[in-house]
Amino acid sequence: MHTQVIVLGAGPGGYAAAFLAADLGLEVTLVEADTRLGGTCLLRGCIPSKALLHVAKVIGEANEMGQWGIEYGAPRIDLNKTRARKERVLKTLSGGLAQLAKRRNVRRVHARGLFVDSQTIELEGGNPDTYQSSRLTFDHAILATGSVAAMPRMFDIGSPRVIDSTGALALEEIPDSLLVVGGGYIGLEMGTVYAQLGTQVSVVEMTDGLLPGADRDLVKPLARRLEKQFTHIDLGTKVVGLRAVDEKIEVRLEKAEGTSGESVRTRVFDRVLVAVGRRPRSDGFGLENTQVTLDPRGFVEVDQQQRTRDEHILAIGDVAGEPMLAHKASHQGRVAAEVLAGAAAAFEPLAIPAVIFTDPEIAWAGLTTTQARSSGRPVAMGLYLWQASGRATAIGRTEGLTKWLIDPETDRLLGCGIVGSGAGELIAEAVLAIEMGCVVRDLTDSIHPHPTLSETLPFAGEAYLGTATEIYKPKRQRKS
Ligand code: FAD
Ligand code: NAD
């Protein structure tokens, strides 16, 4: 079998690349080890977690209706139905991808692919009916093999009660207690799901704050709310040992030096979710038989055209570097397809949005305060606290804030950070504004619908200009 373009891995990077390459007239074979298309994001990541976060949100909102004098009883949960509904979502979406592949004449191979050399892949396992020969040669390959959960050896005690994100999404039970190791994206999203379902959730985070990659002013309102939802949040704390005892897991926790309180404690949990990061899936499938090079963390090294050091192989998505986000993978997939079709494409975004789908959500795009500080770049800030927003007050969610980072010389919008209800949807406007090179007046002169949370974006711009209707700052110099 020979193909013009082989795409290895059918996650959001791989299928976006395969579909666009086919649309651009290339002959494409998509090789995926899983029975279904969609990759981590659709089958074990973004989509199932957001389906369960939807459930958590509705439970949380129903609880809060007490403030309006409307009381619901405690939820009666039929986990079989919850799981079945979640599975239906995945089936619908992955079935849709299969249809789209077929319509585009993308040849699907269900097998694990191993590189024999720079232009040959050995096919192994899966469904041999989907391939006539066990070897596939190609002009170009797009590597889209994604990433896997990091599982430090200490946690590998052979207990089914120690789980990773896939185990947490399986929703086998609602444990009485859950320890989440790692206060990052997965830890806080899945912790939120289980807390709303009724589990006593504790979090241990090694660094001195939740979500160490996010600006502190964005994390603060979320941390305040999570302190109420979670039983314990232990910062500056590491797991130093764990063992299975009866039906439970006994965990030894150690506080970092210099922090107050007991330095070592032992606690017992029904389940432990390990969410300490992910690593690129770049080993075990013959990359050493090609010219592809890896960086010290195992990411495939690529240039702006997504080309590796091997002239026949491009790489995209999680395997090709941080941030490990689905929309970055898809965008790189589209760049790779265009490059192979001969277009002058490059991956050079000004803003890759990041969203943590907790309640409140945190979202940012472009330059962050942390990056500006560490690089010494002078920036001005336009800040709008949601306490002044009519919509936020109406829905009882005034803890949010919206901020812009602005070039003080040109008024150009460089970055945006939002914490609050629906921040993940709101950040899209900021991405467009930053990519389009907008200045503050472009934003403030565009009429936003009232009363919406989207108004907080121009209001933050007006705060910078000193012209905000709902903020009185007489000493600030107005900008024309
Ligand atoms: P993947 O989606 O990992 O796909 C790689 C595919 O390659 C897999 O299907 C795998 O089976 C296949 N494969 C690997 N090796 C081979 C081989 N040798 N032969 C054949 N096939 C192979 N990102 C977001 O942007 N938003 C979110 O809300 C979000 N939520 C997440 C929640 C969780 C719990 C997790 C774990 C991740 C989440 N992510 C989220 C991250 C997102 O899932 C990844 O960034 C994204 O899936 C990366 O896409 P990819 O195409 O690079 O790889
Ligand atoms: P993460 O990098 O977001 O967070 C891991 C956290 O674990 C960090 O805060 C780190 O300091 C902490 N940590 C590391 N080792 C530890 C230890 N031994 N003890 C205690 N804490 C420890 O990683 P994640 O939450 O596993 O998620 C992996 C990746 O998946 C994310 O970085 C993101 O790229 C992607 N993801 C994205 C979304 C989204 O876009 N909403 C959701 C889930 C996952």
Side-chain angles (χ1 to χ4, degrees):
M1 286 202 307
H2 183 86
T3 187
Q4 239 178 333
V5 179
I6 181 174
V7 179
L8 192 62
Y15 68 73
F19 291 0
L20 184 60
D23 291 345
L24 295 173
L26 297 167
E27 184 224 339
V28 182
T29 301
L30 180 57
V31 177
E32 168 56 57
D34 210 316
T35 42
R36 295 189 283 180
L37 302 183
T40 306
C41 179
L42 172 50
L43 304 172
R44 298 172 293 277
C46 327
I47 302 298
S49 61
K50 268 75 241 179
L52 296 181
L53 277 160
H54 169 66
V55 172
K57 186 160 190 258
V58 173
I59 295 174
E61 286 182 348
N63 284 338
E64 289 187 2
M65 288 311 283
Q67 296 166 10
W68 295 83
I70 297 163
E71 296 287 349
Y72 291 91
R76 281 200 308 274
I77 300 168
D78 180 341
L79 262 195
N80 286 332
K81 269 195 178 169
T82 315
R83 270 194 304 265
R85 172 72 199 234
K86 177 197 65 163
E87 283 308 315
R88 268 211 310 283
V89 171
L90 311 190
K91 198 172 164 200
T92 304
L93 292 172
S94 103
L97 289 175
Q99 286 295 323
L100 289 168
K102 200 169 174 185
R103 288 197 174 165
R104 288 177 156 100
N105 281 329
V106 169
R107 190 201 300 165
R108 273 183 67 191
V109 169
H110 172 202
R112 210 168 102 77
L114 298 110
F115 282 90
V116 175
D117 59 41
S118 297
Q119 287 190 278
T120 314
I121 268 186
E122 178 89 26
L123 300 170
E124 185 187 88
N127 178 2
D129 289 347
T130 60
Y131 50 98
Q132 301 98 21
S133 148
S134 64
R135 289 220 164 174
L136 182 57
T137 56
F138 52 84
D139 296 340
H140 287 101
I142 299 177
L143 194 61
T145 49
S147 62
V148 290
M151 185 58 78
R153 206 166 279 161
M154 183 210 307
F155 297 98
D156 198 4
I157 59 168
S159 167
R161 297 184 167 274
V162 179
I163 55 178
D164 62 9
S165 55
T166 306
L169 290 167
L171 204 68
E172 280 174 12
E173 59 164 8
I174 302 173
D176 288 339
S177 61
L178 171 73
L179 175 69
V180 174
V181 186
Y185 279 78
I186 293 177
L188 299 190
E189 289 186 0
M190 293 314 299
T192 298
V193 168
Y194 277 93
Q196 292 294 14
L197 290 174
T199 298
Q200 303 270 308
V201 174
S202 300
V203 176
V204 284
E205 164 57 44
M206 183 172 81
T207 67
D208 61 5
L210 296 174
L211 296 166
D215 282 347
R216 294 302 87 193
D217 51 354
L218 300 181
V219 175
K220 220 181 260 173
L222 171 64
R224 257 188 235 126
R225 224 171 138 88
L226 291 182
E227 275 158 21
K228 292 187 197 131
Q229 269 177 35
F230 293 171
T231 314
H232 291 284
I233 299 177
D234 287 307
L235 302 175
T237 302
K238 276 204 290 196
V239 174
V240 288
L242 70 171
R243 62 186 184 117
V245 180
D246 301 325
E247 301 283 276
K248 311 243 176 212
I249 302 292
E250 187 186 273
V251 184
R252 269 161 53 81
L253 301 173
E254 189 176 276
K255 277 223 160 226
E257 273 174 39
T259 46
S260 59
E262 255 179 291
S263 66
V264 181
R265 279 157 306 147
T266 301
R267 299 226 298 262
V268 173
F269 299 91
D270 290 309
R271 294 231 173 190
V272 173
L273 164 60
V274 183
V276 296
R278 292 180 65 81
R279 60 173 184 80
R281 185 156 29 196
S282 57
D283 56 357
F285 57 96
L287 280 185
E288 60 283 5
N289 302 326
T290 69
Q291 303 302 310
V292 169
T293 54
L294 305 181
D295 75 8
R297 294 173 62 204
F299 288 110
V300 172
E301 292 177 313
V302 290
D303 64 13
Q304 285 191 321
Q305 274 73 43
Q306 303 303 137
R307 292 185 189 281
T308 68
R309 293 279 174 83
D310 190 313
E311 60 176 326
H312 297 287
I313 303 175
L314 292 82
I316 58 171
D318 283 9
V319 76
E322 304 254 26
M324 291 198 247
L325 297 173
H327 40 276
K328 186 218 72 170
S330 308
H331 196 83
Q332 288 183 335
R334 294 175 66 84
V335 168
E338 288 191 312
V339 166
L340 289 184
F347 181 73
E348 42 190 5
L350 292 175
I352 303 175
V355 181
I356 295 114
F357 293 89
T358 40
D359 185 22
E361 293 177 352
I362 291 181
W364 68 88
L367 188 69
T368 66
T369 305
T370 314
Q371 287 164 352
R373 279 194 192 131
S374 63
S375 68
R377 177 174 187 164
V379 285
M381 185 162 79
L383 174 67
Y384 183 80
L385 301 177
W386 287 19
Q387 283 144 358
S389 153
R391 184 59 183 264
T393 308
I395 62 169
R397 298 304 302 264
T398 50
E399 78 277 18
L401 70 83
T402 299
K403 66 171 177 180
W404 283 103
L405 298 186
I406 299 158
D407 184 327
E409 294 295 315
T410 61
D411 278 3
R412 189 170 165 167
L413 300 169
L414 302 173
C416 182
I418 309 175
V419 54
S421 190
E425 302 288 340
L426 299 176
I427 201 68
E429 179 179 0
V431 175
L432 186 65
I434 295 165
E435 288 287 355
M436 297 289 292
C438 289
V439 295
V440 178
R441 283 295 297 255
D442 292 323
L443 181 76
T444 57
D445 288 352
S446 306
I447 301 175
H448 287 65
H450 179 74
T452 64
L453 297 171
S454 72
E455 289 171 300
T456 68
L457 286 124
F459 290 172
E462 283 167 5
Y464 162 75
L465 297 173
T467 59
T469 307
E470 292 140 358
I471 300 174
Y472 183 55
K473 277 206 171 160
K475 282 188 199 143
R476 189 146 196 165
Q477 206 184 352
R478 287 183 176 220
K479 291 205 166 199
S480 57

